[in-house]
Amino acid sequence: MPLIFGAPKKGTRSQDDRQDQRIAVAREQYLAGRVKIVTTDEMPNRQVQGTFGLLVCRSFTFDNAFYGLVAQAMDVNADAVLAYRESVSFHPEGDRYYSCYGTAVRLKPDK
């Protein structure tokens, strides 16, 4: 039906592929231990060198919300997220909407 509704947009799929790849890289980095996430206000046995600010990621799937937060932390060159929190909202239709948030920080190198 391209004559009635027009041709599909070409940029949409490549943008989705880039987002999926970004989430996959963030997942690998988190599972390898390169980005640390803690629920406390400080990292045990480490000092904070710099703070980048609050990060928030929301999605209909928990994996996309969580690893999206990790991807945002990597985008600002943070190596940890402090005060991590998550919440879920339930909609009347039965959908769930996940929110993950925390403070992106850069830790001082180990001595």
Side-chain angles (χ1 to χ4, degrees):
M1 295 256 160
L3 297 176
I4 296 173
F5 299 109
K9 294 181 180 178
K10 294 181 181 180
T12 306
R13 187 66 203 153
S14 67
Q15 188 177 21
D16 289 344
D17 290 342
R18 274 186 265 140
Q19 183 68 15
D20 290 344
Q21 182 182 9
R22 184 172 175 254
I23 295 293
V25 168
R27 183 177 189 272
E28 289 173 15
Q29 294 294 314
Y30 173 73
L31 293 176
R34 293 187 184 99
V35 178
K36 296 160 187 62
I37 297 182
V38 294
T39 59
T40 58
D41 292 335
E42 55 189 39
M43 180 70 67
N45 303 322
R46 298 288 299 271
Q47 291 184 346
V48 173
Q49 181 176 356
T51 303
F52 298 104
L54 180 68
L55 301 177
V56 179
C57 191
R58 297 181 177 111
S59 180
F60 286 104
T61 65
F62 176 76
D63 284 349
N64 283 350
F66 181 78
Y67 293 121
L69 181 78
V70 174
Q72 287 180 8
M74 291 170 41
D75 289 346
V76 296
N77 203 23
D79 56 4
V81 175
L82 302 182
Y84 170 78
R85 303 289 186 264
E86 60 190 45
S87 65
V88 60
S89 299
F90 296 94
H91 295 275
E93 299 88 30
D95 293 338
R96 294 180 192 149
Y97 195 63
Y98 297 93
S99 298
C100 296
Y101 50 98
T103 304
V105 298
R106 172 61 100 179
L107 300 173
K108 289 186 179 178
D110 285 336
K111 293 182 179 179

